[in-house]
Amino acid sequence: MGIELGMPAFAPPRPFPEPGAAPNAETPEGLDGLVDRYGRRATDMRLSLTDKCNLRCTYCMPASGLDWLPKDKVLTAGEIVRLVGIGVNGLGVRELRLTGGEPLVRADLVEIIAGIRANHPELPVSLTTNGLGLDKKAAALKDAGLTRINVSLDSLHPGTFAQLTRRPFLDRVLAGVEEAARVGLGLIKINAVLMRGINDAEAPDLLEWAVTHGFELRFIEQMPLDADHGWTRDGMITAAEIRSRLEERFVLTPDPRNRDGAPAERWEVRRRTSLEVVAGVVGIIASVTEPFCADCRRTRITAEGKVRSCLFSHEETDLLGLLRSTGDDAAVARRWQEAMWGKPKAHGMDHAGLGAPDYVQPERTMSAIGG
Ligand code: SAM
Ligand code: SF4
């Protein structure tokens, strides 16, 4: 049996407004921010800095890697700073996450963050990274104005880590996490994907490690965005299963703080041995079994400057050509708005593999989209 989507009702779709139609327009063309046909407003920008990566996580990349984009097809530091400016100043972006591929492989990462920070002193800017090389760059990233960091780490056992990432670099990732904590890079969040029979039994140990160090662990349900097309609905570890595994050792109670459009459902964590103390918080991102499409506030830009209105979109809208051919920020903003207007209602993923053809895996893998 499939699991019900359980999504709140959507408003009926509306036609794209004519230029100048909205009376209180924030943009010159008359549409207010990055809204879509269903009334959602994107304020959270996810920007991929590169498609390259130095790990080969089995749920993301093929063992052989991918054909990397040529350098001249990738957004430059200046184009990134300009795009963020268009988003923040004209389109209501209120939060920025830099991702990839692996953003730390970009030699100009510090320059990019410093450029964004110079223009937007109050903007929360976070980075999602696999942590390789973070031990050397954490201090510079903080000095440049990075607000916070998410490090992906699926196992604390060197052998399991190497099996999942196809690289033997656990020690280097742990050194990166330690240095990020030492330099005070905000609340450190740890992202983990559980794979059946590989690291799923490790879930309580990962949580113990995270709460002991003051990190917020977030489990992400494995999504069908892998290059090897190895995902199956029956094989993935569901949020319900993650909760019950954690509850073997911990007591989880819903975090009273408002979820506020965030993808993770958060839980307060208490050890069974000391129930009066909240040891920490754990988040579970149930994109497959408990999707949050109705509350989605994300707009994504790939490393080559294409808007994706949804992680699972089949359509992309190019902004790079326009950025390079015109100095007209309003034209770029308008194209970005048009792309977001077409955001699909929902991804239909929970039914994939169950006989209902609503979900078709996009051509791009997670690393090339920017997770
Ligand atoms: N390389 C960086 C990293 O690993 O953190 C940033 C990019 S990575 C695509 C961003 C996040 O997506 C990581 O936390 C990773 O675990 C997650 N991810 C990748 N493929 C996934 C999949 N098929 N399902 C769920 N999460 C996935
Ligand atoms: Fe690289 Fe991140 Fe994908 Fe792993 S999840 S292969 S680290 S992009």
Side-chain angles (χ1 to χ4, degrees), residues 110-164:
V110 168
E111 181 195 330
I112 291 169
I113 293 170
I116 294 168
R117 180 57 70 218
N119 293 346
H120 312 287
E122 305 297 333
L123 182 71
V125 181
S126 59
L127 179 81
T128 301
T129 170
N130 63 27
L132 286 180
L134 186 57
D135 53 337
K136 302 197 178 54
K137 292 192 182 152
L141 294 172
K142 173 147 172 77
D143 289 348
L146 186 67
T147 317
R148 224 184 38 67
I149 203 151
N150 285 17
V151 182
S152 302
L153 177 60
D154 304 324
S155 175
L156 295 165
H157 296 290
T160 312
F161 179 93
Q163 187 182 359
L164 281 166

Side-chain angles (χ1 to χ4, degrees), residues 325-344:
S325 63
T326 173
D328 182 0
D329 286 359
V332 178
R334 181 71 181 174
R335 188 172 289 175
W336 192 344
Q337 288 181 307
E338 281 168 5
M340 290 306 295
W341 187 260
K343 184 177 173 92

Side-chain angles (χ1 to χ4, degrees), residues 189-361:
K189 296 188 182 176
I190 304 291
N191 290 356
V193 177
L194 294 179
M195 301 290 280
R196 194 173 298 285
I198 299 176
N199 65 338
D200 50 335
E202 219 188 306
D205 290 344
L206 278 166
L207 184 53
E208 182 62 54
W209 172 80
V211 297
T212 302
H213 289 83
F215 306 147
E216 185 173 317
L217 180 62
R218 295 142 29 108
F219 291 100
I220 310 174
E221 278 184 343
Q222 188 204 356
M223 295 177 270
L225 291 171
D226 56 315
D228 296 336
H229 290 249
W231 182 93
T232 62
R233 177 65 182 77
D234 294 337
M236 64 164 285
I237 311 281
T238 64
E241 217 176 327
I242 296 169
R243 283 194 293 270
S244 73
R245 277 201 176 274
L246 297 178
E247 280 170 340
E248 288 164 13
R249 199 180 308 169
F250 302 94
V251 173
L252 304 185
T253 44
D255 187 329
R257 280 173 293 177
N258 187 353
R259 187 167 170 176
D260 199 23
E265 187 165 16
R266 300 164 87 234
W267 305 81
E268 286 184 345
V269 179
R270 289 175 173 79
R271 294 189 179 91
R272 292 201 173 273
T273 47
S274 54
L275 287 174
E276 63 290 352
V277 182
V278 178
V281 168
V282 66
I284 303 182
I285 304 180
S287 317
V288 179
T289 62
E290 298 160 27
F292 34 85
C293 305
D295 292 322
C296 181
R297 295 186 193 163
R298 271 157 289 286
T299 179
R300 293 174 189 275
I301 310 277
T302 67
E304 72 262 57
K306 294 189 194 310
V307 183
R308 291 179 66 90
S309 61
C310 169
L311 197 52
F312 306 97
S313 295
H314 293 271
E315 281 168 26
E316 299 182 339
T317 304
D318 180 54
L319 298 184
L320 184 64
L322 206 51
L323 276 173
R324 289 186 179 173
S325 63
T326 173
D328 182 0
D329 286 359
V332 178
R334 181 71 181 174
R335 188 172 289 175
W336 192 344
Q337 288 181 307
E338 281 168 5
M340 290 306 295
W341 187 260
K343 184 177 173 92
K345 187 172 172 181
H347 54 53
M349 195 169 35
D350 190 38
H351 297 281
L354 295 172
D358 339 27
Y359 180 77
V360 180
Q361 181 167 342

Side-chain angles (χ1 to χ4, degrees), residues 53-57 59-61 100-102 130 152 366-367:
C53 189
N54 40 18
L55 293 184
R56 298 285 182 273
C57 303
Y59 48 75
C60 181
M61 282 251 190
E102 176 44 49
N130 63 27
S152 302
M366 187 66 148
S367 61

